[in-house]
Amino acid sequence: MLSTGRIIKEFQIADIKNIIPKLSSSLHKGQCGRIGVIGGSSEYTGAPYFAAMTALRLGADIVHVFCSSAAGAAIKSYSPDLIVHPILDDDTVLKQLRTWLPRLHCVVFGPGLGREKISLYSDILDLLKQFGKPTVVDADGLYVVSELPNLLNNFKNVILTPNASEFKRLLDSLTNNNMPESEQLISFFKSYGDVTLVKKGNNDEIINLKSYSCVTGGSLCRCGGQGDVLAGSIALFSCWADLAKSNDPLSLGAYSGCLFTKTLSSHVFKHYGRSMITNDFFPKIHTVFQDMFGEE
């Protein structure tokens, strides 16, 4: 457990149940969540799909994927349920995003993005900062932040989801890398107090100025794509926590996403063992959600 002198808070299943929208015939399309995923390149089409489809299968009404033109056809072929915008290499991408972002509740930035257009990605993150929507920065998005740490200045409602190596790169880039990790964290939050960190691992650690929490468990198989499932889960739970006006929506959203993904991963591993792949997660989402939260 990290020790940085902050208050330690644990969430309960009841806290999560309280933010999950109750299904009703009076709802209209979009009230249970409109999520955006910004990512996808010619090399990486699965990552944004996994994040987007997780949010959709968990109960988001609408999920948009903003990707490169080279990734668009592939992602569209994976599912007609996703709304795919192959615009990331279009000269008008920022203008188009300004049109779409007001319609979204939460955005995932980074899955499969690639690292070739750091200047553009910096502009997109600045745009996300301006709109102030809950934003989950994952994968290649974390590389952008490591290269341009000033992007985090006054960035409210942002969750960073690094694995162990990305976590070290972030802290070394943004603080004095000669300090112990606990002191680096203190220094980090002095500079970037609005950020919530999710350090992924055997124990997922949710860290910010107000709370610390830890989720254990998961599968023994580390097939690629599970981090994208987590990003999509955190995005939707954070959206729900924000819509429910939770006192600490990012911490609760991050904790809920980690807990759900760990439980889902464990469930899938029991069925498939070492042969499990990330596509195996989707048929199990409803069962695990129902078992955890008691919803018919």
Side-chain angles (χ1 to χ4, degrees):
M1 178 181 292
L2 296 170
S3 177
T4 60
R6 291 183 306 280
I7 297 170
I8 296 176
K9 178 179 180 179
E10 294 290 341
F11 293 105
Q12 306 298 321
I13 289 293
D15 297 317
I16 304 173
K17 286 184 176 181
N18 285 337
I19 65 170
I20 297 172
K22 299 295 186 288
L23 296 180
S24 164
S25 59
S26 65
L27 291 172
H28 60 75
K29 183 172 65 177
Q31 285 186 288
C32 287
R34 298 186 297 270
I35 307 299
V37 177
I38 300 176
S41 58
S42 58
E43 294 89 352
Y44 304 109
T45 59
Y49 166 74
F50 291 143
M53 185 54 67
T54 298
L56 200 59
R57 284 290 191 180
L58 259 176
D61 287 338
I62 303 170
V63 181
H64 296 258
V65 178
F66 303 90
C67 61
S68 72
S69 57
I75 298 172
K76 287 181 181 183
S77 74
Y78 299 154
S79 174
D81 296 291
L82 301 173
I83 303 169
V84 181
H85 310 261
I87 63 172
L88 289 186
D89 37 18
D90 192 294
D91 290 341
T92 65
V93 58
L94 295 176
K95 180 180 178 181
Q96 293 188 62
L97 286 174
R98 284 191 187 95
T99 299
W100 282 107
L101 287 177
R103 311 180 197 184
L104 305 177
H105 293 121
C106 184
V107 175
V108 181
F109 177 83
L113 194 64
R115 301 180 179 182
E116 293 79 20
K117 300 178 180 179
I118 297 296
S119 177
L120 171 62
Y121 303 152
S122 170
D123 289 342
I124 293 174
L125 279 171
D126 267 331
L127 194 60
L128 291 169
K129 185 195 301 188
Q130 292 170 31
F131 277 94
K133 304 289 180 75
T135 300
V136 181
V137 179
D138 187 44
D140 290 327
L142 296 169
Y143 175 80
V144 178
V145 171
S146 295
E147 292 293 300
L148 301 168
N150 286 339
L151 288 169
L152 291 180
N153 289 333
N154 303 310
F155 200 154
K156 301 182 186 300
N157 289 332
V158 63
I159 302 173
L160 308 184
T161 57
N163 58 29
S165 60
E166 290 167 336
F167 186 77
K168 178 172 172 38
R169 186 190 308 126
L170 271 173
L171 289 188
D172 286 351
S173 298
L174 277 61
T175 67
N176 182 346
N177 60 12
N178 292 319
M179 295 189 297
E181 184 178 280
S182 60
E183 292 182 20
Q184 282 185 297
L185 275 171
I186 292 170
S187 175
F188 174 88
F189 283 110
K190 283 182 178 178
S191 299
Y192 312 107
D194 294 320
V195 174
T196 295
L197 290 173
V198 176
K199 182 183 179 184
K200 299 182 291 192
N202 184 47
N203 300 329
D204 289 341
E205 300 168 2
I206 297 98
I207 315 160
N208 63 24
L209 276 175
K210 293 176 287 188
S211 66
Y212 165 92
S213 212
C214 183
V215 180
T216 63
S219 76
L220 301 179
C221 184
R222 305 311 307 158
C223 61
Q226 293 183 70
D228 305 307
V229 171
L230 177 61
S233 297
I234 290 176
L236 185 59
F237 280 112
S238 296
C239 159
W240 286 344
D242 191 53
L243 290 174
K245 302 189 184 305
S246 166
N247 290 333
D248 191 0
L250 296 194
S251 293
L252 179 53
Y255 181 87
S256 304
C258 289
L259 181 64
F260 179 79
T261 304
K262 288 284 191 186
T263 306
L264 176 64
S265 178
S266 177
H267 184 83
V268 173
F269 181 72
K270 286 178 182 177
H271 282 76
Y272 295 99
R274 68 173 64 247
S275 72
M276 68 181 275
I277 58 174
T278 303
N279 263 330
D280 295 327
F281 283 46
F282 301 128
K284 305 294 185 183
I285 284 177
H286 173 67
T287 299
V288 172
F289 190 93
Q290 188 177 38
D291 288 347
M292 291 180 70
F293 307 120
E295 183 175 86
E296 294 298 332

